[in-house]
Amino acid sequence: MTMTRRAFLSASAGFAAAPALGARAFGAPLPREADIVVIGAGAAGIAAARRIQVANRRVIVVEAASQVGGRCLTDTATFDLPFDRGARWMYNPDSNPMIKLARRAGFDVTSAPMGQKIRIGRRNARAGETEEFLAALVRANRAIDEASRGKADVACASVLPKDLGDWAGTAEFVLGPNATAKDLKEVSAMDKARAGDRNAAITCRQGLGTLIAKLAEQVPLALSTPASRIGWSNRDVTVETPSGKIVARAAVVTVSSNVLAAGNIKFTPDIPKRQLDAAAKLSLGSLDRIALLLSGNPLGLARDDIFIEQSNSTRTALLFANIGSSSLCTIDVAGSFGRELSAKGGPAMVAFAVEWLTKLFGSDVAAAVKKSGATRWNAAPFVLGATSSAAPGGQPSRKILTEPIGCMFLAGEATHETLWGTVDGAWESGERAAEAALRKIGALREEPVAAPAPVAKHRRHAAPIN
Ligand SMILES: Cc1cc2nc3c(=O)[nH]c(=O)nc-3n(C[C@H](O)[C@H](O)[C@H](O)COP(=O)(O)OP(=O)(O)OC[C@H]3O[C@@H](n4cnc5c(N)ncnc54)[C@H](O)[C@@H]3O)c2cc1C
């Protein structure tokens, strides 16, 4: 696994909802029948539904929340400008379908700023120091890569070089919490090494949540309609919701691995232990975004400046300042530190952000705060966390989740072997599950059995994902 400067600079840019209510609520009564029912209107669910529509089959999406998007949620109300509470960046412009879809929908698509900076105390790192850090990151990545080729999977933290010196904490933060939402001691070396690149981050001015809502406009969906129980067999499914039952010939279930493992949807019969265990091994890490509207540019930073700090631990954060020339700054906290902080609630999160910025920039940040907000994804009842990453030994679980369960097909970011933790991974997984469901009901021809495709080298993960 190579860590290029470009990969670091572009990918570490990407992390952060009042909802963008782009999707229409379901006005008409819930249909009693469909060819395929989709559970969840996040990126995977919307992709699945659109694929089913292309095949001219009847689809209905049931969504527990009052808006579409799931972990792609743009808040346009709190700050009078788009604030992505979840996904913000789209990677790999050559292969990422979301970027094409955004352009086609008329969204303003721009590249993420290059040139993220590192703070050492109250000054910026010098060029030589940044080089030292990048070298440390390359060595750490290489060690994880090599470990992933061993017989037994191990935790990334256990193979990190012991001599990263002053950069050890920062490297752990960038590769662990910042990239996977977990500390490296909880992350499988095999899962991390197989992950696709998150290079050349692209964003859209209107927000990624707004984009998913736009893409959902023509999709029949029922908001505020949680699936409470799914009865399934090899022939059909019955989805129970507070608004009634839907009988369909197949289902695509896109809820997060944590929602699945928590048993928030009852299945009759129970879903196999094999899949439940797999979901548990792909639990969601913690990643939250604290947003501060700061008047008068107290940090003295430029548009879209991004900072991390030299830190002796992972109790640190990532700053994205003056977003799109506005006064909005976001501070991302993740991993065990982020989890601990978010459990304390919004005010404690904002207090941390103010204190952290004051420490790094020495200015009176507190006096400049005009408005603030913070996400708490671990407490979001229909998601229960940020992004999946495999526990040591858990990498094969991603494939297990894609195995059909009668006529149910699981989708969502956790089911993508290389693009887990991303919107495009979720989108691709939704299309794949929809095609499997369409084949099951005879609406697509069976695929000839092909040799498994090798993992594409050019999409390997080298850098932070968020
Ligand atoms: C803070 C943060 C930053 C991120 N940054 C990036 C980034 O910059 N770039 C990137 O590519 N990715 C990023 N990600 C990851 C990305 O957001 C996810 O990978 C992706 O959005 C997951 O989509 P999904 O469809 O798999 O799941 P979800 O978005 O979780 O969708 C599942 C849906 O199911 C619904 N649901 C749950 N239970 C039920 C039920 N019982 N009945 C009906 N519906 C139900 C949920 O409400 C939800 O809408 C980030 C995530 C977070 C949290």
Side-chain angles (χ1 to χ4, degrees):
M1 179 191 303
T2 49
M3 173 70 214
T4 61
R5 166 186 285 273
R6 182 177 158 79
F8 165 67
L9 294 178
S10 63
S12 63
F15 279 119
L21 293 171
R24 63 196 155 76
F26 195 80
L30 200 67
R32 296 290 164 241
E33 281 180 11
D35 291 317
I36 301 174
V37 60
V38 175
I39 317 295
I46 298 305
R50 285 167 57 105
R51 181 65 189 88
I52 295 161
Q53 286 181 304
V54 167
N56 277 322
R57 290 301 186 273
R58 291 171 307 159
V59 61
I60 175 77
V61 182
V62 296
E63 166 56 54
S66 56
Q67 75 281 321
V68 296
R71 284 170 270 172
C72 290
L73 196 51
T74 306
D75 174 353
T76 50
T78 308
F79 301 106
D80 280 336
L81 41 98
F83 162 44
D84 274 324
R85 296 177 70 90
R88 171 188 273 166
W89 304 106
M90 300 178 278
Y91 307 104
N92 308 313
D94 294 342
S95 54
N96 191 325
M98 308 310 300
I99 298 172
K100 238 181 241 157
L101 288 164
R103 289 211 172 94
R104 222 181 282 152
F107 280 61
D108 300 331
V109 171
T110 53
S111 291
M114 302 296 280
Q116 288 84 339
K117 294 160 192 152
I118 306 171
R119 208 73 179 156
I120 302 184
R122 288 205 176 159
R123 67 171 176 84
N124 289 356
R126 299 184 188 99
E129 290 166 326
T130 303
E131 290 303 332
E132 262 178 35
F133 170 63
L134 291 171
L137 216 47
V138 169
R139 290 176 56 226
N141 256 322
R142 198 175 292 142
I144 294 169
D145 211 19
E146 276 163 17
S148 75
R149 291 194 285 271
K151 272 204 183 113
D153 194 10
V154 293
C156 294
S158 70
V159 299
L160 289 183
K162 300 284 177 262
D163 57 351
L164 298 177
D166 290 343
W167 295 111
T170 316
E172 277 212 51
F173 169 72
V174 166
L175 296 176
N178 184 56
T180 69
K182 286 186 184 169
D183 296 355
L184 286 179
K185 64 176 187 293
E186 297 177 65
V187 178
S188 145
M190 284 184 183
D191 200 38
K192 186 138 170 71
R194 279 179 73 93
D197 275 344
R198 276 75 163 154
N199 279 338
I202 307 277
T203 189
C204 63
R205 193 181 55 76
Q206 295 89 340
L208 264 188
T210 313
L211 173 61
I212 298 294
K214 176 80 187 165
L215 296 173
E217 270 178 1
Q218 303 306 319
V219 169
L221 57 90
L223 298 177
S224 306
T225 308
S228 51
R229 179 176 294 277
I230 305 179
W232 60 276
S233 70
N234 206 24
R235 281 189 323 276
D236 58 17
V237 292
T238 303
V239 176
E240 293 179 25
T241 81
S243 315
K245 285 184 188 177
I246 307 163
V247 177
R249 296 167 66 198
V252 174
V253 180
T254 74
V255 301
S256 75
S257 50
N258 274 16
V259 168
L260 195 65
N264 292 1
I265 303 177
K266 308 288 174 227
F267 291 90
T268 314
D270 288 342
I271 55 172
K273 187 169 175 315
R274 179 175 165 79
Q275 269 87 4
L276 271 187
D277 287 349
K281 285 180 187 160
L282 297 167
S283 65
L284 305 184
S286 180
L287 167 59
D288 279 299
R289 186 156 294 150
I290 305 153
L292 304 177
L293 199 65
L294 296 178
S295 69
N297 192 12
L299 309 177
L301 298 179
R303 171 192 172 139
D304 294 335
D305 258 348
I306 293 175
F307 276 89
I308 54 173
E309 66 164 332
Q310 186 183 62
S311 170
N312 59 13
S313 78
T314 53
R315 300 177 74 81
T316 182
L318 178 143
L319 164 69
F320 186 22
N322 303 333
I323 299 170
S325 289
S326 73
S327 307
L328 187 65
C329 297
T330 61
I331 296 94
D332 289 350
V333 290
S336 60
F337 168 62
R339 186 179 296 281
E340 192 186 298
L341 186 61
S342 76
K344 293 181 181 159
M349 297 171 82
V350 170
F352 161 80
V354 168
E355 195 185 310
W356 186 69
L357 292 176
T358 307
K359 177 188 87 175
L360 293 180
F361 295 92
S363 44
D364 190 357
V365 177
V369 177
K370 292 296 161 227
K371 246 183 191 178
S372 61
T375 67
R376 297 180 66 219
W377 285 103
N378 304 324
F382 305 127
V383 180
L384 300 175
T387 55
S388 72
S389 66
Q395 197 282 330
S397 301
R398 300 202 184 275
K399 205 169 172 82
I400 291 173
L401 285 187
T402 64
E403 295 168 2
I405 308 170
C407 58
M408 286 193 301
F409 301 85
L410 303 183
E413 58 88 12
T415 69
H416 201 294
E417 278 214 89
T418 57
L419 296 174
W420 45 266
T422 69
V423 180
D424 49 322
W427 190 269
E428 277 187 22
S429 78
E431 290 188 333
R432 170 195 47 74
E435 287 177 6
L438 286 164
R439 273 194 289 278
K440 178 79 181 168
I441 67 170
L444 269 187
R445 259 188 286 148
E446 286 291 333
E447 266 185 350
V449 179
V455 175
K457 288 282 180 204
H458 70 282
R459 297 199 83 178
R460 292 181 64 211
H461 176 63
I465 59 168
N466 288 314

